[in-house]
Amino acid sequence: MNLRSRIAGCGAYLPERVVTNHELAARLDTSDEWIRQRTGIGERRVAAPGELTSDLAFRAAQRALANAEMSGADLDLLVLATATPDNIFPATATKVQARLGMTRGTAFDVQAVCAGFIFALSVADNAVRLGQARTALVVGAETFSRILDWEDRATCVLFGDGAGAIVLKAVPATAQDERYVLSSHLHSDGRHYDILYVDGGPSSTPNTGYLRMEGREVFRQAVQRLSEVVEEALRFNNLTAADIDWLVPHQANSRIIDGVGRKLGLPAENIVTTIERHANTSAASIPLAIEAAVAEGRIRPGHLVLMEALGGGLSWGASLVRW
């Protein structure tokens, strides 16, 4: 039987501590107005001391499973997208697997930075299509606060911590409502490796460093690449932008989100944005935005949802889902 992946539930978790722009402005040469005008960010969450990426992922996963009326024992596959794992190895996903009571199948991490959730979703969807899994959990979780130079106003104001998750359930490809993942489209271009990275790592230096970014070049690449991959997804499914109910973009920068929306001709009311209160949570940003839109009653069964993201590598991709 040909199988496809239906989204059966979603969940999210944010750390308790809120760091506002005003708090950052008290110790950096910046202001709430400056940050909002250039990024759209008003505040971000920061994990507590001792609160790990696996903790955030576990809580988001619990909520997604509860929303799907499932438990960890029902899972065949867990794919965790993160650039901030608890340890270099083993995979943070295996720690989450154990805490969820998932005793069969497999769990592993995927690293594509801010595009990680799209990559993880594609991996899990392919496993379902091939019959390798019947139920899968896809999680995006990050503690980016641990890799920021809090004296660098160009980067530290942009990011936050959080986690989001979705549950996939196999359904027949012949389902008439076509409520499943329609397609995913992934790309990378290592020629731009040096415009967004964290300096340091076990192969090059003894310690992990801080996030470094060439902001203008990342912005230029993001608008171009994301517009291209969104159009690719639409062409592949014989659709146009007018068919999309919701665009759920990676929450990196409001100007990037607006730029992609304009290129597609999508009205702002059809774009899910949570950057004002979440900031850029890397691989967690799309599932966090999805959970917020579902909780608010915006994304509903039958809606056509297009997700897109770009991250370091450069890596970028898009997924089209009939909710």
Side-chain angles (χ1 to χ4, degrees):
M1 178 188 295
N2 292 329
L3 299 172
R4 303 297 285 272
S5 306
R6 176 171 293 176
I7 296 180
C10 62
Y13 174 78
L14 291 164
E16 289 186 12
R17 186 185 173 203
V18 177
V19 177
T20 66
N21 292 343
H22 293 292
E23 182 178 339
L24 293 178
R27 54 187 177 83
L28 294 171
D29 181 18
T30 189
S31 67
D32 177 67
E33 181 183 15
W34 189 92
I35 297 170
R36 286 181 183 273
Q37 285 183 349
R38 287 161 178 77
T39 69
I41 297 167
E43 62 185 38
R44 71 283 298 143
R45 300 296 183 100
V46 172
E51 189 175 34
L52 306 180
T53 293
S54 61
D55 297 320
L56 276 58
F58 171 66
R59 289 175 173 83
Q62 278 187 312
R63 294 173 182 180
L65 287 167
N67 184 246
E69 298 183 345
M70 295 182 188
S71 71
D74 297 314
L75 294 173
D76 305 309
L77 174 65
L78 193 166
V79 185
L80 171 61
T82 186
T84 51
D86 289 9
N87 299 95
I88 293 173
F89 73 85
T92 300
T94 57
K95 187 184 287 188
V96 179
Q97 175 190 29
R99 291 179 68 179
L100 289 174
M102 175 185 168
T103 56
R104 67 170 189 266
T106 189
F108 55 88
D109 295 352
V110 167
Q111 213 279 53
V113 203
C114 298
F117 183 78
I118 299 295
F119 279 58
L121 176 59
S122 177
V123 169
D125 176 51
N126 286 339
V128 171
R129 291 187 189 221
L130 291 171
Q132 296 173 333
R134 298 297 296 254
T135 55
L137 180 68
V138 183
V139 186
E142 302 282 17
T143 49
F144 255 54
S145 61
R146 309 277 161 75
I147 56 171
L148 297 177
D149 179 355
W150 287 97
E151 302 301 318
D152 178 13
R153 72 166 188 169
T155 57
C156 75
V157 303
L158 302 177
F159 296 91
D161 301 337
I166 63 169
V167 179
L168 300 179
K169 183 178 180 180
V171 296
T174 54
Q176 292 184 350
D177 57 12
E178 294 189 341
R179 289 182 52 214
Y180 44 68
V181 179
L182 299 177
S183 66
S184 294
H185 307 266
L186 308 180
H187 298 275
S188 63
D189 187 345
R191 292 174 297 176
H192 303 289
Y193 186 97
D194 292 330
I195 68 172
L196 180 56
Y197 66 98
V198 170
D199 49 10
S203 180
S204 57
T205 60
N207 300 306
T208 300
Y210 295 122
L211 183 143
R212 309 297 182 191
M213 179 174 66
E214 295 181 21
R216 291 183 179 179
E217 183 60 17
V218 171
F219 180 93
R220 189 183 72 82
Q221 290 288 335
V223 174
Q224 176 184 345
R225 300 303 184 185
L226 292 174
S227 298
E228 290 171 352
V229 77
V230 163
E231 291 170 358
E232 176 186 349
L234 292 173
R235 285 196 308 271
F236 184 84
N237 291 281
N238 297 313
L239 297 168
T240 68
D243 297 308
I244 301 301
D245 293 297
W246 296 103
L247 174 66
V248 184
H250 167 49
Q251 309 290 311
N253 182 299
S254 60
R255 292 183 177 184
I256 295 175
I257 294 170
D258 293 344
V260 174
R262 283 194 300 271
K263 282 205 168 190
L264 293 172
L266 278 176
E269 55 265 28
N270 292 93
I271 303 174
V272 177
T273 55
T274 59
I275 190 170
E276 193 278 335
R277 61 186 188 273
H278 294 167
N280 181 346
T281 54
S282 188
S285 80
I286 287 178
L288 279 170
I290 285 174
E291 191 277 339
V294 170
E296 294 163 3
R298 289 188 285 168
I299 294 179
R300 300 189 299 274
H303 279 177
L304 198 59
V305 179
L306 181 58
M307 299 170 272
E308 47 87 339
L310 175 140
L314 289 175
S315 301
W316 66 97
S319 292
L320 189 62
V321 177
R322 178 75 67 181
W323 199 262

